[in-house]
């Protein structure tokens, strides 16, 4: 499915003639946003957390618990993500993450608050256990959105974060082996290896219909030092629009960030797609533009809209995501767009 450009332009032109209009769902949209805000009149969504991968379930459950204790969605997102960042057995996030080609663990993270459309982000930060918290500090304590590398680290230390070693013995040994087996050419880039990256992106909605999100990763295993992926890029690995919905990404960041992936998913929802449809449409749109075939892109999206509808899609089979609210907590198969295996539509809107 692709966005019908003629229809979209026609709609935009019609809308431009007036300052506001009523959408098919009976909601008023602004002239600049010919959007269909999800209709919340017939349902009241419970506080809901959605996160990438099966390990996201534990993080979502922690987030719901923290929300119950503090009433703060930002605390919930931040400390839910702490669970994954603290897990040394997870080779793709926080401590225990696969290092870069020089043997240093470099972390990327970002956080967004829908109601005030604020964002904070850090990239390539080393020796800090919870980059998601540094991203939150950037959002709340600085006039900036993003800090990188040494600057991000120095900021974290000045904020009272502790310096720790993120490289576990297991990952150090694996890195030694990787180094020994890698081609000697100094400019040889690390090989793409799907087993060497996973990320936590978490989206949250409260009963007031406010949306939040966070994302944290150690990125592409054995990446060139200084490489930044999509995860800390607002609109790439995460995007939250409080009027519409939120989206997050996991997969090969280079293929997400060249297309403003999470922003694109939210824009698809703005145009009336369900979360699962929006994830699928964004991937198909990316595949139309990208020289790579859809199967090669290795992109997975999760999405949550203002009505509490959630969904996900991935370029290949095997992407699973977690959803937790007061009623259930489960791991769901994302819709797979691989021609070889058409997966079930695992969202809650058909
Ligand atoms: C990155 N998108 O750094 C991240 C890695 C990831 O599943 O999500 N892997 O490119």
């Amino acid at each position: 499915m692709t966005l019908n450009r003629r229809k979209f332009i026609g709609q935009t032109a019609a809308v431009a003639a007036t300052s506001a209009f009523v959408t098919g769902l009976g909601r008023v949209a602004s002239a600049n946003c010919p959007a269909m805000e999800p209709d919340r009149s017939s349902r009241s969504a419970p506080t809901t957390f959605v996160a990438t991968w099966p390990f996201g379930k534990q993080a979502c459950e922690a987030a719901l618990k923290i929300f119950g204790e503090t009433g703060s969605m930002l605390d919930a997102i931040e400390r839910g993500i702490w669970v994954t960042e603290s897990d040394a057995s997870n080779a793709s996030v926080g401590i225990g993450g696969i290092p870069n080609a020089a043997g240093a663990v470099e972390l990327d993270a970002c956080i967004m608050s829908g109601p005030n459309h604020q964002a904070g982000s850090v990239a390539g930060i080393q020796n800090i256990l919870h980059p998601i918290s540094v991203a939150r500090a950037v959002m709340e304590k600085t006039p900036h959105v993003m800090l990188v590398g040494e600057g991000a680290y120095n900021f974290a230390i000045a904020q009272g974060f502790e310096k720790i070693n993120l490289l576990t013995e297991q990952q150090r040994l694996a890195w030694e082996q990787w180094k020994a087996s890698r081609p000697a050419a100094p400019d040889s880039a690390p090989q793409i290896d799907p087993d060497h990256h996973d990320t936590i992106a978490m989206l949250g909605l409260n009963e007031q219909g406010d949306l939040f999100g966070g994302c944290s990763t150690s990125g592409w295993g054995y990446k060139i030092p200084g490489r930044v992926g999509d995860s800390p890029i607002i609109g790439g690995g995460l995007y939250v629009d409080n009027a519409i919905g939120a989206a997050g990404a996991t997969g090969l960041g280079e293929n997400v960030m060249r297309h403003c992936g999470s922003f694109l998913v939210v824009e698809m929802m703005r145009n009336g797609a369900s979360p699962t449809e929006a994830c699928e449409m964004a991937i198909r749109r990316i595949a139309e533009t990208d020289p790579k075939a859809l199967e090669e892109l290795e992109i997975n999206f999760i999405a949550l809209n203002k009505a509490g509808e959630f969904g996900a899609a991935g370029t290949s089979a095997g992407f699973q995501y977690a959803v937790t609210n007061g009623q259930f907590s489960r791991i769901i198969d994302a819709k797979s767009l691989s021609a070889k295996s058409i997966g079930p539509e695992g969202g809650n809107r058909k």
Side-chain angles (χ1 to χ4, degrees):
M1 231 183 306
T2 56
L3 189 65
N4 182 329
R5 189 173 140 80
R6 192 180 305 161
K7 194 171 152 201
F8 179 75
I9 290 169
Q11 191 183 26
T12 308
V15 167
T18 59
S19 61
F21 77 116
V22 179
T23 70
L25 292 177
R27 314 294 289 189
V28 177
S30 77
N32 292 329
C33 296
M36 292 192 283
E37 182 182 327
D39 184 359
R40 305 186 67 245
S41 57
S42 59
R43 55 196 298 173
S44 99
T47 299
T48 301
F49 294 94
V50 180
T52 50
W53 304 111
F55 58 69
K57 181 167 176 275
Q58 220 192 331
C60 285
E61 287 167 359
L64 189 65
K65 183 165 174 285
I66 301 297
F67 180 70
E69 288 165 10
T70 68
S72 161
M73 287 295 282
L74 281 173
D75 285 354
I77 295 278
E78 177 188 7
R79 289 164 60 186
I81 288 177
W82 279 6
V83 172
T84 319
E85 288 180 336
S86 309
D87 179 0
S89 70
N90 183 316
S92 307
V93 182
I95 190 164
I98 299 174
N100 65 18
V105 180
E106 283 186 331
L107 305 177
D108 297 339
C110 74
I111 194 162
M112 276 195 87
S113 168
N116 49 1
H117 204 77
Q118 294 299 297
S121 165
V122 289
I125 190 170
Q126 297 185 18
N127 296 310
I128 298 291
L129 182 60
H130 292 306
I132 190 69
S133 300
V134 188
R136 183 174 176 184
V138 172
M139 176 174 79
E140 293 181 337
K141 298 184 177 164
T142 81
H144 307 308
V145 169
M146 188 171 196
L147 297 179
V148 304
E150 213 181 316
Y153 171 77
N154 290 338
F155 169 75
I157 295 298
Q159 290 293 316
F161 287 81
E162 194 188 341
K163 177 179 182 176
I164 67 150
N165 174 26
L166 297 170
L167 185 65
T168 58
E169 188 55 10
Q170 189 190 350
Q171 289 302 350
R172 194 188 64 74
L173 291 172
W175 171 72
E176 294 281 3
Q177 273 181 6
W178 170 81
K179 217 170 40 146
S181 64
R182 115 187 235 238
D187 61 347
S188 67
Q191 290 296 303
I192 296 176
D193 181 345
D195 293 336
H196 284 166
H197 58 90
D198 276 337
T199 288
I200 181 148
M202 184 188 287
L203 314 173
L205 172 81
N206 64 15
E207 285 180 4
Q208 286 69 49
D210 288 325
L211 289 146
F212 301 81
C215 191
S216 184
T217 191
S218 55
W220 186 340
Y222 310 132
K223 60 195 172 187
I224 292 173
R227 178 266 188 187
V228 172
D230 60 321
S231 304
I233 305 297
I234 303 303
L238 181 77
Y239 195 67
V240 177
D241 181 327
N242 210 45
I244 304 297
T250 175
L252 262 183
E254 279 72 2
N255 295 341
V256 174
M257 64 205 287
R258 285 184 290 115
H259 297 273
C260 303
S262 294
F263 181 79
L264 187 55
V265 173
V266 172
E267 290 309 290
M268 295 301 181
M269 291 195 283
R270 187 189 303 283
N271 284 293
S274 75
T276 303
E277 287 166 351
C279 294
E280 174 173 356
M281 289 166 83
I283 291 172
R284 294 207 187 280
R285 166 86 164 268
I286 289 170
E288 273 174 19
T289 312
D290 208 280
K292 288 184 179 158
L294 186 145
E295 285 77 14
E296 288 175 78
L297 286 168
E298 214 179 303
I299 295 174
N300 306 288
F301 288 121
I302 55 170
L304 172 66
N305 72 16
K306 206 169 170 64
E309 296 164 346
F310 53 81
T315 49
S316 53
F319 175 50
Q320 294 183 305
Y321 67 109
V323 180
T324 300
N325 60 31
Q327 293 151 8
F328 63 82
S329 182
R330 65 172 82 115
I331 294 168
I332 301 174
D333 289 330
K335 182 163 191 178
S336 164
L337 306 187
S338 158
K340 291 180 204 126
S341 125
I342 305 298
E345 181 170 342
N348 64 344
R349 177 171 139 194
K350 303 297 173 195

